[in-house]
Amino acid sequence: MRALQASTSYSAGLGISSVAAPLSRPCRRLGAVAKVEPTEKSIEIMRKFSEQYARKSDTYFCVDKGVTSVVIKGLAEHRDTLGAPLCPCRHYDDKAAEAQQGFWNCPCVPMRERKECHCMLFLTPDNDFAGQEQAITVEEIRETTANM
Ligand code: SF4
């Protein structure tokens, strides 16, 4: 099985201590982050945003679309609950204050400045886990997150 070589920032963001984990692992970790089922409207808005930003930034979705799906749903949940797509892969003491501050609203500053997405939503072509797609359907999101 292909193993996920978690980067330092990604490990920190998801609280993963191991440097190698099965590729499905981030899905489960992120699944724990999304506590409230987001609205269909917000999922669609974040899905479209993700496709457009991947094209704009010349980045690609993960080979495991489950990772992409969980991050999109996490962003949608924050859009619903906070009014802003706060990054779903990090721990915050005060989510509302973070969303207002804006540093970690997607696309976050590290992504905009250095193409660093610790959620693995936007992967540069040289990333081992980058797929070849910049599109994801609502059905894919539904199917890959059905058991979470
Ligand atoms: S671009 Fe930044 S805010 Fe958006 S998912 Fe990636 S790490 Fe999180």
Side-chain angles (χ1 to χ4, degrees):
M1 176 188 284
R2 199 173 188 197
L4 172 64
Q5 298 295 328
S7 69
T8 304
S9 60
Y10 184 57
S11 300
L14 295 176
I16 297 171
S17 55
S18 170
V19 293
L23 190 53
S24 60
R25 192 170 181 174
C27 296
R28 291 199 298 270
R29 300 292 301 203
L30 286 164
V33 172
K35 298 182 185 71
V36 180
E37 192 63 22
T39 60
E40 295 290 322
K41 181 183 175 188
S42 283
I43 292 173
E44 180 60 6
I45 287 170
M46 297 318 303
R47 183 190 72 79
K48 281 187 179 164
F49 154 76
S50 299
E51 289 185 337
Q52 287 167 359
Y53 193 75
R55 288 195 293 270
K56 179 182 173 187
S57 61
D58 192 27
T59 56
Y60 294 83
F61 294 149
C62 184
V63 287
D64 181 349
K65 289 281 191 75
V67 172
T68 314
S69 298
V70 173
V71 178
I72 288 173
K73 286 184 80 171
L75 290 169
E77 182 203 328
H78 280 164
R79 184 182 181 277
D80 285 339
T81 58
L82 302 167
L86 184 67
C87 185
C89 314
R90 305 182 62 81
H91 169 76
Y92 309 96
D93 289 332
D94 186 338
K95 282 188 176 186
E98 288 285 353
Q100 184 137 20
Q101 198 272 340
F103 187 95
W104 289 111
N105 289 346
C106 195
C108 61
V109 172
M111 180 66 206
R112 280 183 267 148
E113 291 186 349
R114 301 184 297 277
K115 292 193 181 183
E116 289 177 6
C117 173
H118 61 267
C119 289
M120 297 179 69
L121 177 58
F122 303 115
L123 297 171
T124 51
D126 61 337
N127 188 297
D128 285 347
F129 296 95
Q132 297 186 326
E133 293 186 50
Q134 295 171 316
I136 185 166
T137 65
V138 173
E139 288 72 30
E140 282 180 293
I141 294 173
R142 204 171 285 141
E143 285 169 17
T144 55
T145 59
N147 297 320
M148 293 178 183

